[in-house]
Amino acid sequence: MNWIIGFLGLILLGLVIYWLFITTEGVFFGRRVVVWLYDLTSGNYDRIKEFEDEFERAAIVRPLQIALAGRPEPCILDVATGTGRVPLLLSAGAGFDGRVIGLDASSGMLAQGMEKVALLPPEKRRQVTLIQQSAGKLPFRDNSFDAVTCLEALEFFPSDRIALQEMARVLRPGGFLMTSRRQGWESRFFLSRYRSKEKLAELLNELGLTNVEYYPWQVNYDMVTASK
Ligand SMILES: C[S@@+](CC[C@H](N)C(=O)[O-])C[C@H]1O[C@@H](n2cnc3c(N)ncnc32)[C@H](O)[C@@H]1O
């Protein structure tokens, strides 16, 4: 009998550890643990994600191009840029004449991104800047970006409200926000961090963002766009 209880206890412990460190990526232990886990796994991130170029261009680059049409040399901020997904996609796109700053708290993720940036031709390389910084306090003036992106990251921040407030602050009036909302069965394991479409739209509206729209995107994420 004792061994059955011990065995079930071990299974339960394994499930709890899986939930805390794999499903929710350390988020219940705070920013340092989340960032430490990303530092640890940064070398495998791109391989695990297997982003497909064509899908990425259609889902991310195209809506940004449409939103930024008519804006010469647009300035874009990518919050929680990871290994530089958005900056690299944008700079690789033909006709992009702007500047893109990618910000992330993980030095490991940024190092991976910098390796890829270093391979760009000099004129493209100059368009991209990667900086280490937390999403909770953006080191930029109000109204300084034409677009702000933040993909697959809101649920990992200590406060998505504070991070979105900062993104709204640095976005210029008329600017475009592109972010993502965790969805699917795993999203419920984020407990109080989970936001329904209605709750996220409410928060974005409260922060002065309008035209909130959702698009089906990836297995675990909806794409969310809004304007200031
Ligand atoms: C799932 S990755 C997404 C990366 C990238 N946006 C993408 O779509 O590939 C989440 C990123 O959020 C970053 N991150 C987590 N908490 C952060 C915080 N408080 N401030 C800044 N970056 C953070 C992690 O370091 C990681 O690079």
Side-chain angles (χ1 to χ4, degrees):
M1 192 63 185
N2 277 354
W3 72 266
I4 295 180
I5 294 170
F7 181 66
L8 290 177
L10 270 183
I11 291 182
L12 189 64
L13 182 66
L15 288 173
V16 170
I17 290 173
Y18 190 86
W19 164 56
L20 288 172
F21 289 98
I22 309 291
T23 313
T24 57
E25 302 185 15
V27 74
F28 295 108
F29 297 106
R31 185 178 67 89
R32 280 175 196 221
V33 173
V34 172
V35 172
W36 172 69
L37 288 174
Y38 273 102
D39 278 338
L40 276 185
T41 54
S42 56
N44 294 319
Y45 183 81
D46 288 347
R47 191 178 48 75
I48 293 167
K49 293 299 235 181
E50 289 185 323
F51 294 128
E52 282 172 31
D53 244 29
E54 203 178 318
F55 182 63
E56 292 279 280
R57 277 197 297 271
I60 301 172
V61 180
R62 191 72 196 118
L64 280 168
Q65 278 172 338
I66 292 169
L68 295 169
R71 289 237 138 226
E73 302 181 8
C75 234
I76 294 127
L77 173 67
D78 183 37
V79 177
T81 194
T83 59
R85 181 184 192 176
V86 172
L88 285 148
L89 275 169
L90 282 175
S91 67
F96 179 70
D97 62 352
R99 195 163 163 237
V100 53
I101 298 177
L103 168 154
D104 201 282
S106 159
S107 56
M109 294 291 273
L110 290 171
Q112 295 294 317
M114 278 168 191
E115 277 182 24
K116 293 187 281 182
V117 171
L119 299 175
L120 295 173
E123 69 281 7
K124 295 276 176 195
R125 205 182 311 148
R126 275 193 290 274
Q127 294 181 317
V128 178
T129 308
L130 299 182
I131 59 171
Q132 188 175 11
Q133 175 75 34
S134 162
K137 190 153 174 42
L138 300 177
F140 306 107
R141 283 202 297 263
D142 297 358
N143 309 325
S144 35
F145 292 94
D146 299 293
V148 175
T149 56
C150 178
L151 300 180
E152 301 191 34
L154 282 184
E155 69 276 27
F156 301 120
F157 298 155
S159 163
D160 60 354
R161 169 182 288 272
I162 290 175
L164 283 167
Q165 193 173 349
E166 277 293 272
M167 292 180 222
R169 179 183 68 75
V170 302
L171 200 56
R172 69 159 174 81
F176 182 69
L177 174 78
M178 174 186 275
T179 186
S180 56
R181 185 190 74 94
R182 188 85 180 208
Q183 63 97 38
W185 66 273
E186 277 187 354
S187 60
R188 302 295 176 156
F189 287 99
F190 283 80
L191 307 182
S192 62
R193 292 167 166 274
Y194 168 79
R195 280 198 193 264
S196 64
K197 287 184 179 176
E198 293 71 26
K199 288 281 174 209
L200 183 56
E202 219 172 86
L203 172 59
L204 293 171
N205 290 158
E206 243 179 73
L207 299 175
L209 297 157
T210 56
N211 305 322
V212 179
E213 295 197 39
Y214 291 95
Y215 303 93
W217 181 38
Q218 299 181 161
V219 180
N220 290 329
Y221 289 98
D222 288 326
M223 173 78 80
V224 188
T225 61
S227 45
K228 180 168 169 185

